[in-house]
Amino acid sequence: MRDQYDKFQYLVTHFNWHSPSWDLFIFLFWAVASVIYAFAAGRGRALSILVSVYISKLLVLEAPFLTKELEKHLHGQYAGFGKVIVFVGLFLILFLFLSRYAFKTTVDRKQVSGFIFTLLLAILQIGLLINIVISLLPQINQSKLTPLVSFLFIGPTPTLLWLIAPIIFLILLGRHISDHSEV
């Protein structure tokens, strides 16, 4: 564990924050999207987004015919992006249906602790979303990312951590924030 921390610390100190790149864009997107998401989403919407992300990833992995059919129509430089396009499409469809009919809450932002909970959940969810999108990119595009982005988002260990972190967060902290008037 200490080796991983040392590696992370080295990568952060040697990351080029002054040169605009996709890597810097990823970190800026993570920060900005998390804050905007925390302000815009309540607990109910956050849960429907989380469930939509998990189901979409599962469908992309377990129903490859969806991706193969789309990739038949994609040509040139876009041919490898079928998984990302299918994931985003499934996510949007599932989110629209789930947010309309499921996970409704009435007391989303009445307490400061509720906002902090939502902000932390947003950071974890946006990190999960970034991990999924990067993992669905063609290998040649993944190899162009910096070691810091690779360390945080690419590979079996980061993928597992991003998949379980929101669930663990909800299990450990969700009961402290839950609305006891809803049954």
Side-chain angles (χ1 to χ4, degrees):
M1 188 67 151
R2 180 72 179 159
D3 292 338
Q4 294 296 333
Y5 175 76
D6 291 340
K7 182 177 179 181
F8 175 73
Q9 188 175 18
Y10 173 81
L11 292 173
V12 168
T13 57
H14 288 85
F15 186 79
N16 186 358
W17 297 98
H18 302 290
S19 173
S21 66
W22 276 107
D23 305 308
L24 187 57
F25 171 76
I26 289 169
F27 289 119
L28 289 175
F29 173 79
W30 189 12
V32 171
S34 295
V35 172
I36 291 172
Y37 175 74
F39 277 110
R43 281 191 321 246
R45 187 167 290 154
L47 290 175
S48 66
I49 288 172
L50 186 61
V51 170
S52 299
V53 167
Y54 284 129
I55 293 172
S56 299
K57 180 173 183 180
L58 180 66
L59 287 173
V60 166
L61 295 177
E62 297 301 324
F65 63 88
L66 296 170
T67 302
K68 289 179 184 175
E69 192 60 37
L70 177 65
E71 286 182 342
K72 287 180 187 177
H73 303 290
L74 296 175
H75 302 291
Q77 66 184 14
Y78 301 109
F81 292 92
K83 287 181 182 179
V84 174
I85 294 169
V86 169
F87 171 77
V88 170
L90 287 171
F91 167 74
L92 291 173
I93 291 167
L94 288 169
F95 172 68
L96 288 174
F97 284 112
L98 287 176
S99 65
R100 182 170 291 179
Y101 302 114
F103 305 115
K104 297 286 184 184
T105 61
T106 57
V107 192
D108 278 339
R109 284 174 287 212
K110 289 188 177 179
Q111 304 169 351
V112 173
S113 61
F115 175 75
I116 293 169
F117 173 83
T118 305
L119 178 63
L120 293 174
L121 183 60
I123 290 168
L124 293 173
Q125 283 185 314
I126 300 297
L128 171 64
L129 194 59
I130 291 169
N131 168 264
I132 291 172
V133 169
I134 288 175
S135 70
L136 296 176
L137 290 174
Q139 185 65 36
I140 192 161
N141 295 85
Q142 290 179 16
S143 64
K144 294 178 183 176
L145 298 172
T146 63
L148 180 59
V149 172
S150 297
F151 178 80
L152 291 173
F153 295 107
I154 299 174
T157 302
T159 297
L160 177 64
L161 292 174
W162 284 115
L163 281 172
I164 63 173
I167 295 170
I168 292 172
F169 179 78
L170 287 173
I171 290 170
L172 295 178
L173 296 178
R175 61 189 165 103
H176 298 295
I177 306 298
S178 66
D179 179 15
H180 297 293
S181 65
E182 292 181 44
V183 183

Coordinates of all heavy atoms in Angstrom, one line a residue, residues 98-135:
L98 N -35.3 5.8 -15.2 CA -35.1 5.6 -13.7 C -35.4 6.9 -12.9 O -35.9 6.8 -11.9 CB -33.7 5.1 -13.4 CG -33.5 3.6 -13.8 CD1 -32.0 3.2 -13.5 CD2 -34.4 2.7 -13.1
S99 N -34.9 8.0 -13.4 CA -35.1 9.2 -12.7 C -36.6 9.7 -12.7 O -37.0 10.4 -11.8 CB -34.3 10.4 -13.2 OG -34.6 10.7 -14.5
R100 N -37.3 9.2 -13.6 CA -38.8 9.5 -13.7 C -39.6 8.7 -12.8 O -40.6 9.1 -12.2 CB -39.3 9.4 -15.1 CG -40.7 9.8 -15.3 CD -41.1 9.8 -16.7 NE -40.4 11.0 -17.3 CZ -40.5 11.3 -18.6 NH1 -41.2 10.7 -19.4 NH2 -39.9 12.4 -19.0
Y101 N -39.2 7.4 -12.6 CA -40.1 6.5 -11.9 C -39.5 5.9 -10.7 O -40.2 5.2 -9.9 CB -40.4 5.3 -12.9 CG -41.1 5.8 -14.1 CD1 -40.5 5.6 -15.3 CD2 -42.4 6.4 -14.0 CE1 -41.2 6.1 -16.5 CE2 -43.0 6.8 -15.2 CZ -42.4 6.7 -16.4 OH -43.0 7.1 -17.5
A102 N -38.2 6.1 -10.4 CA -37.6 5.4 -9.2 C -36.7 6.4 -8.5 O -36.4 7.5 -9.0 CB -36.7 4.3 -9.7
F103 N -36.4 6.0 -7.3 CA -35.5 6.8 -6.4 C -35.9 8.2 -6.1 O -35.1 9.1 -6.1 CB -34.1 6.8 -7.0 CG -33.5 5.4 -7.3 CD1 -33.3 5.0 -8.6 CD2 -33.3 4.6 -6.3 CE1 -32.8 3.8 -8.9 CE2 -32.8 3.3 -6.6 CZ -32.5 2.9 -7.9
K104 N -37.2 8.4 -5.9 CA -37.7 9.7 -5.5 C -37.4 10.0 -4.1 O -37.6 9.1 -3.2 CB -39.2 9.9 -5.8 CG -39.5 9.7 -7.2 CD -39.2 10.9 -8.0 CE -39.6 10.8 -9.4 NZ -39.3 11.9 -10.3
T105 N -36.9 11.2 -3.7 CA -36.7 11.6 -2.3 C -37.3 13.0 -2.2 O -37.3 13.7 -3.1 CB -35.2 11.5 -1.9 OG1 -34.5 12.5 -2.7 CG2 -34.6 10.2 -2.0
T106 N -37.6 13.3 -1.0 CA -38.3 14.6 -0.7 C -37.4 15.6 0.0 O -37.6 16.7 0.0 CB -39.5 14.4 0.1 OG1 -39.2 13.7 1.3 CG2 -40.6 13.6 -0.6
V107 N -36.3 15.1 0.7 CA -35.5 16.0 1.5 C -34.1 15.9 1.0 O -33.2 15.5 1.7 CB -35.5 15.5 3.0 CG1 -34.9 16.6 3.9 CG2 -36.9 15.3 3.4
D108 N -33.8 16.4 -0.2 CA -32.5 16.2 -0.8 C -31.5 17.2 -0.3 O -30.4 16.8 -0.1 CB -32.6 16.3 -2.4 CG -33.0 15.0 -3.0 OD1 -32.9 13.9 -2.3 OD2 -33.5 15.0 -4.1
R109 N -31.8 18.4 -0.2 CA -30.8 19.4 0.2 C -31.2 20.3 1.3 O -30.9 21.5 1.3 CB -30.5 20.2 -1.0 CG -29.6 19.5 -2.0 CD -29.5 20.3 -3.2 NE -30.8 20.3 -3.9 CZ -31.0 20.3 -5.2 NH1 -30.0 20.4 -6.0 NH2 -32.1 20.2 -5.7
K110 N -31.8 19.8 2.3 CA -32.3 20.6 3.4 C -31.2 20.8 4.5 O -31.3 21.6 5.3 CB -33.5 20.0 4.1 CG -34.7 20.2 3.2 CD -36.0 19.8 3.9 CE -37.2 20.0 3.1 NZ -38.4 19.7 3.7
Q111 N -30.2 19.9 4.5 CA -29.1 20.0 5.5 C -27.8 20.1 4.8 O -27.6 19.6 3.7 CB -29.1 18.7 6.3 CG -30.4 18.4 6.9 CD -30.4 17.0 7.5 OE1 -29.5 16.2 7.3 NE2 -31.4 16.6 8.3
V112 N -26.8 20.7 5.5 CA -25.5 20.8 5.0 C -24.9 19.5 4.9 O -24.2 19.2 3.9 CB -24.6 21.7 5.9 CG1 -23.2 21.7 5.5 CG2 -25.2 23.1 6.0
S113 N -25.1 18.6 5.8 CA -24.6 17.2 5.7 C -25.1 16.5 4.5 O -24.4 15.7 3.9 CB -24.9 16.4 7.0 OG -26.3 16.3 7.1
G114 N -26.3 16.8 4.0 CA -26.8 16.2 2.8 C -26.1 16.7 1.6 O -25.8 15.9 0.7
F115 N -25.7 18.0 1.6 CA -24.9 18.5 0.5 C -23.5 17.9 0.4 O -23.0 17.5 -0.6 CB -24.8 20.0 0.5 CG -23.9 20.6 -0.6 CD1 -24.3 20.6 -1.9 CD2 -22.6 21.0 -0.3 CE1 -23.5 21.0 -2.9 CE2 -21.8 21.4 -1.3 CZ -22.2 21.5 -2.6
I116 N -22.9 17.8 1.6 CA -21.5 17.2 1.7 C -21.6 15.7 1.2 O -20.7 15.3 0.4 CB -20.9 17.3 3.1 CG1 -20.7 18.8 3.4 CG2 -19.6 16.5 3.2 CD1 -20.4 19.1 4.8
F117 N -22.6 15.0 1.6 CA -22.8 13.6 1.2 C -22.9 13.6 -0.3 O -22.3 12.8 -1.0 CB -24.1 13.1 1.9 CG -24.5 11.7 1.4 CD1 -23.9 10.6 1.9 CD2 -25.4 11.6 0.4 CE1 -24.2 9.3 1.4 CE2 -25.8 10.3 -0.1 CZ -25.2 9.2 0.5
T118 N -23.8 14.5 -0.9 CA -24.0 14.5 -2.3 C -22.7 14.9 -3.1 O -22.4 14.3 -4.1 CB -25.1 15.5 -2.7 OG1 -26.3 15.1 -1.9 CG2 -25.5 15.4 -4.2
L119 N -21.9 15.8 -2.5 CA -20.7 16.2 -3.2 C -19.7 15.0 -3.2 O -19.1 14.8 -4.2 CB -20.0 17.4 -2.5 CG -18.7 17.9 -3.0 CD1 -18.9 18.4 -4.5 CD2 -18.1 19.0 -2.2
L120 N -19.5 14.3 -2.1 CA -18.6 13.2 -2.1 C -19.1 12.1 -3.0 O -18.3 11.5 -3.7 CB -18.4 12.7 -0.6 CG -17.7 13.6 0.3 CD1 -17.8 13.1 1.7 CD2 -16.3 13.9 -0.1
L121 N -20.4 11.8 -3.0 CA -20.9 10.8 -3.9 C -20.7 11.3 -5.4 O -20.4 10.4 -6.2 CB -22.4 10.6 -3.6 CG -23.1 9.5 -4.4 CD1 -22.4 8.1 -4.2 CD2 -24.6 9.4 -4.1
A122 N -20.9 12.5 -5.6 CA -20.6 13.0 -7.0 C -19.2 12.8 -7.4 O -18.9 12.4 -8.6 CB -21.0 14.5 -7.1
I123 N -18.3 13.1 -6.6 CA -16.8 12.9 -6.9 C -16.6 11.4 -7.2 O -15.9 11.1 -8.2 CB -15.9 13.3 -5.7 CG1 -16.0 14.9 -5.6 CG2 -14.5 12.9 -5.9 CD1 -15.4 15.4 -4.4
L124 N -17.2 10.5 -6.4 CA -17.0 9.1 -6.7 C -17.7 8.7 -8.0 O -17.2 7.9 -8.8 CB -17.5 8.3 -5.5 CG -16.8 8.4 -4.2 CD1 -17.5 7.7 -3.1 CD2 -15.3 7.9 -4.4
Q125 N -18.9 9.2 -8.2 CA -19.6 8.8 -9.4 C -19.0 9.4 -10.7 O -18.9 8.6 -11.7 CB -21.1 9.3 -9.4 CG -21.9 8.5 -8.5 CD -23.4 9.0 -8.5 OE1 -23.7 10.1 -8.4 NE2 -24.3 8.0 -8.7
I126 N -18.5 10.6 -10.7 CA -17.8 11.1 -11.8 C -16.5 10.4 -12.1 O -16.1 10.1 -13.2 CB -17.6 12.6 -11.7 CG1 -18.9 13.4 -11.5 CG2 -16.8 13.2 -12.9 CD1 -19.8 13.3 -12.7
G127 N -15.8 10.0 -11.0 CA -14.6 9.2 -11.1 C -14.9 7.8 -11.8 O -14.2 7.4 -12.6
L128 N -16.0 7.2 -11.3 CA -16.5 6.0 -11.9 C -16.8 6.1 -13.4 O -16.4 5.3 -14.2 CB -17.7 5.4 -11.2 CG -18.4 4.2 -11.8 CD1 -17.5 3.0 -11.8 CD2 -19.7 3.9 -11.0
L129 N -17.5 7.2 -13.7 CA -17.8 7.5 -15.1 C -16.6 7.7 -16.0 O -16.5 7.1 -17.1 CB -18.7 8.7 -15.2 CG -19.5 9.0 -16.5 CD1 -20.4 7.8 -16.8 CD2 -20.3 10.2 -16.3
I130 N -15.6 8.4 -15.5 CA -14.4 8.6 -16.2 C -13.7 7.3 -16.4 O -13.2 6.9 -17.5 CB -13.5 9.6 -15.5 CG1 -14.0 11.0 -15.5 CG2 -12.0 9.6 -16.1 CD1 -13.4 12.0 -14.6
N131 N -13.6 6.5 -15.3 CA -13.0 5.1 -15.4 C -13.6 4.3 -16.5 O -13.0 3.6 -17.3 CB -13.0 4.4 -14.1 CG -12.7 3.0 -14.2 OD1 -13.5 2.1 -14.3 ND2 -11.4 2.7 -14.1
I132 N -15.0 4.3 -16.5 CA -15.7 3.4 -17.5 C -15.4 3.9 -18.9 O -15.1 3.1 -19.8 CB -17.2 3.4 -17.2 CG1 -17.4 2.6 -15.9 CG2 -18.0 2.8 -18.3 CD1 -18.9 2.7 -15.4
V133 N -15.5 5.2 -19.2 CA -15.3 5.8 -20.5 C -13.9 5.5 -21.0 O -13.7 5.0 -22.1 CB -15.7 7.3 -20.6 CG1 -15.2 7.9 -21.9 CG2 -17.2 7.5 -20.4
I134 N -12.9 5.7 -20.1 CA -11.5 5.5 -20.5 C -11.3 4.0 -20.8 O -10.6 3.6 -21.7 CB -10.5 6.0 -19.4 CG1 -10.5 7.5 -19.5 CG2 -9.1 5.4 -19.7 CD1 -9.7 8.1 -18.4
S135 N -11.9 3.1 -20.0 CA -11.7 1.7 -20.2 C -12.4 1.2 -21.4 O -12.0 0.1 -22.0 CB -12.2 0.9 -19.0 OG -13.6 0.9 -18.9

